[in-house]
Amino acid sequence: MIALTVNGKTHTLDVLPVKRLADVLRDDLKLTGTKIGCNAGDCGACTVRIAGGQACACITPVGQCGGVEIVTIEGLAHDPLGAKLQAAFHTCGAAQCGICTPGMLMAAHDLLSRRPHPTQREIEDALAGVLCRCTGYQKIIEAVQFCAAGYAVPAVEALGHIGERLPKVDGIAKLNGSERFGADGIPDNARWLRVIRSPHHRAAIAFGDLIAFTKAHSIDLILTAAHVPRNGFGIYPTIKDQPVFAVDEVKFRGEAVCALVGRRDRIEAIDETAIPITWTHLPPLFGIADSERAQTLVHAAQSGNVLIDGGVNKSAPNAGEIPAAQISLRVQSTFVEHAYIEPEAGWAQRIASENGDRIEIHVSTQTPYMDRDEVASVMQLASDRIRIVPTACGGGFGGKLDMAVHPYLAVAAWHLPDRPVACVYTRPESMASTTKRHPCDITLAMSANAQGKLLTCISHAKFDTGAYASWGPTVATRVPIHATGPYAVPVVKTRGTAFYTHCHPSGAFRGFGVPQAAIAHEAAMDGMADQLKIDRLEFRYRNAIRVGDTTATGQLLTASAGLDQCLAALRPRWLAWHAEVALFNAANPHLRRGVGIGCMWYGIGNTSLSNPSTMRITLDAQGITLYSGAVDIGQGSNTILTQIAADVLEIPAAQIRRVTGDTDLTHDAGKTSASRQTFVSGKAVELAALDLRAKLRARFQLTESSHVRISLLPNLASIFVSANGATREIPLAAGEIIEGIGTFDPPTTPQDANGQGSPYASYAFAAQIALVEVDLDLGTTKVLRVAAAHDVGRAINPTQVEGQIHGGILQGLGLALMEAYVPGKTENLHDYLIPTIGDAPQMEVLLIEDRDPLGPGGAKGVGEPGLIATAPAILGAIEHATGVRMLQVPVLPHVLRAALLKQP
Ligand code: FES
């Protein structure tokens, strides 16, 4: 028996002393505010205070905690400093998805308890043990500074309309530990499911007597492909090439072959090498070059191992002008892991229903409606017999657009109708089995004339799509459109090809291949500018695509193309930083500083495909409710959509309630990806709110000129109507519901055989400059500063927009300098490194608001743009500092050091 004092209360527990404190807190005491991101002391999400200090609860045996005071996130609000920290995080926008936030707050609480007025360096040191994948850390540091400065956190009195810095409408739960992520709401009576995965990259498989094994270990079930009605899933309707459970052959290390279902302690205790599976190793294909050349086919029906191949051809009447500058180069990248701090998790149950049993799945996801339809397909049930209830999502970045635990839970729940079934991936399992950023091999040639105007762009981007299609077709079709960069180029010939290999599937990851393409076109822009002796920023300014220009696909830009404005905003910093760097380098022989620039553009939403979102807003005696099928994965869409609705309805955002994500209760808003929720779902909200206004006019027979004002009194919604200077009140009838519906599908056109068409209705633009310091002896690169100018159309909420850009910059920094996922080698967060708070540069965001007439309030999207320009800016800065152009990412220190040594 162990006496444990947690948040001032003593519990006597009958637990093994070696049990992890995190498990005791979550499972025995139901304090699920303490999160588990890695169970290895790497991510810090489980940080609590033990005897005054901060510690990772996941690697602390509970036996060490008897007789000492433990404080968790649930206890923080009882302390004045804790409450103030929570308020500061809320005001500053320091929590995005919120999965790291309890750990961050506990670490910050530890610091401020010891050092009430810390320096920035002390803050970084104190919080260094907690990883955040969303925020870029800057707003977290600001929140701690804000709190430490002794200022009272101001009450927010804003209406929360468009343009205001409204704190997250769903933010409080992220700060007090009450938010329920995928692993947090699992019913006590749930059976647990453990997926058994291939330890081989490729192998033939055969099962022994699984029924005997099931009995011998007293578990409920071992699921295999035989239990799955349709053993294939995938993103595209015509490509269901990934089996739920492999049959006969596994095609990547980490592929599922079967799943154990039973009591948690029993299935966790099983030694998986004891399961009767015979593995016969087969030679795998790795890498694009091998896949292209090999006789072996990953899928028998895919000749040449090609998943998809296509491109864009655009010619111009003056083609053939003699170039004054031309460059050819090749860019290569590796797999990159999403590394969201919340591993995949959820639970499901079979629900009896008059029209046939249903399956209800509670899961962390970016795309509930796609999940619903995909589970329905696997289960061979009608879609309305599947209900997806999204939990809070602890980061996605594209990785939670594919199914993970979903089909396993659905199949298990169907076979165990009497109780729920839960599954929580371990960190290594999450990393080994889920999608990654596509490795690329891009060749690109560009040319420009003597006046510094671009003439041609020819490129071929090859991608490693892994064993199954996932989002490979999206990447391979999006990249040829974006391969020119955000520039006006008369002659374009670009191509994208995705190849199958025996690696885990490559999928969606913030940018869909455009970040890799940007490394290529920005290196070419630097090279041509240097050849022409034109300043690198000026060269981009001359070529920036503007309103009136046509894109690579022949699409005429008619509005909101603000790259030139971004570059103009950055120019003073660009010049000042160059002057500063020159002075520094003159005095430092071993440390060299450099300044680089990267530009990007990004088509918002699906490529040349219908892309609708439908929103519903109701008014009844209880008030206004926004029914939104758009899930907020931390990027702030709950807040943004609420602000848009509040703005149109002219009521405070605080008066809008939300029902979000549940496929039984909302309309399909499409997936949270491709930077589309603000632009597409935001427009749908705007239309729904306008529709509600129109319905109110019709209901009360008001003229168009009457100004309708909604006043919400407790339990009584009244409408105030102003017309001709007079105002009258009209209460709603009992039980009356008035609803507005809005649907928006961005106007796009299909591309023809030459890739010509209008694949996107809106484009975001950005330019970023980076200042780096390279240690010539060590090959290390430290990014000191990034200034990011983004044309977002309209910043619905500047705090949220800045947070997206900060987070994107850190992920771009990781792509450039440190992140390399190696199957079988880097399957945890101590081998796979992501940027820590100590890696974060000082970031400045300049918001350019070149309004898009299609977007809600003029807004576009910003989720992916934050990342895309960063790596090119860093690589350009390294070249400026050292003279070495790195075209392979990540630029690890030993690689850069080797390149430096080769310099003459
Ligand atoms: Fe830090 Fe999402 S807010 S990981």
Side-chain angles (χ1 to χ4, degrees), residues 94-101 131-135 140 341 394-395:
Q96 288 190 19
C97 79
I99 192 78
C100 74
T101 308
L131 294 174
C132 176
R133 192 58 157 166
C134 300
T135 64
I140 292 172
I341 303 302

Side-chain angles (χ1 to χ4, degrees), residues 56-196:
C56 281
C58 76
I59 51 170
T60 303
V62 70
Q64 292 181 357
C65 302
V68 298
E69 175 70 24
I70 296 166
V71 182
T72 71
I73 186 70
E74 289 87 351
L76 208 60
H78 305 315
D79 167 82
L81 174 60
K84 200 165 163 186
L85 259 172
Q86 288 170 320
F89 268 56
H90 192 45
T91 303
C92 294
Q96 288 190 19
C97 79
I99 192 78
C100 74
T101 308
M104 282 291 181
L105 282 165
M106 299 313 297
H109 192 255
D110 165 49
L111 169 68
L112 295 184
S113 301
R114 292 182 283 108
R115 298 275 300 166
H117 303 290
T119 62
Q120 176 161 337
R121 180 61 191 267
E122 287 171 329
I123 295 171
E124 290 173 7
D125 285 349
L127 273 55
V130 187
L131 294 174
C132 176
R133 192 58 157 166
C134 300
T135 64
Y137 302 103
Q138 187 152 307
K139 289 191 182 293
I140 292 172
I141 294 170
E142 287 169 7
V144 177
Q145 288 172 330
F146 189 52
C147 191
Y151 298 123
V153 176
V156 177
E157 293 170 1
L159 287 171
H161 288 182
I162 288 176
E164 294 183 26
R165 292 180 179 270
L166 180 73
K168 273 183 183 288
V169 295
D170 53 355
I172 298 298
K174 299 175 192 296
L175 301 163
N176 63 18
S178 64
E179 186 76 292
R180 292 283 174 267
F181 293 87
D184 293 339
I186 294 169
D188 286 342
N189 67 337
R191 287 298 197 222
W192 280 66
L193 182 147
R194 175 180 163 197
V195 182
I196 303 302

Side-chain angles (χ1 to χ4, degrees), residues 752-883:
D752 65 16
N754 280 317
Q756 299 297 290
S758 297
Y760 310 102
S762 180
Y763 293 85
F765 297 87
Q768 295 183 1
I769 58 174
L771 193 159
V772 307
E773 182 175 287
V774 178
D775 186 318
L776 298 180
D777 295 330
L778 299 175
T780 51
T781 301
K782 171 80 179 158
V783 183
L784 301 175
R785 263 180 254 159
V786 173
H790 281 249
D791 169 20
V792 299
R794 179 91 186 270
I796 303 289
N797 183 322
T799 299
Q800 303 298 322
V801 173
E802 289 161 0
Q804 283 297 293
I805 295 168
H806 289 164
I809 288 170
L810 258 277
Q811 288 187 5
L813 186 154
L815 172 69
L817 296 179
M818 64 182 73
E819 297 190 37
Y821 178 86
V822 183
K825 291 197 174 137
T826 54
E827 292 171 356
N828 55 57
L829 291 173
H830 47 262
D831 290 325
Y832 185 85
L833 303 181
I834 64 172
T836 69
I837 199 168
D839 298 307
Q842 182 187 332
M843 293 175 275
E844 181 187 14
V845 173
L846 307 168
L847 295 179
I848 307 298
E849 297 186 303
D850 189 344
R851 296 187 188 184
D852 188 320
L854 270 179
K860 304 191 278 193
V862 74
E864 285 146 306
L867 178 152
I868 296 168
T870 309
I874 291 171
L875 298 179
I878 292 173
E879 184 185 31
H880 183 226
T882 67

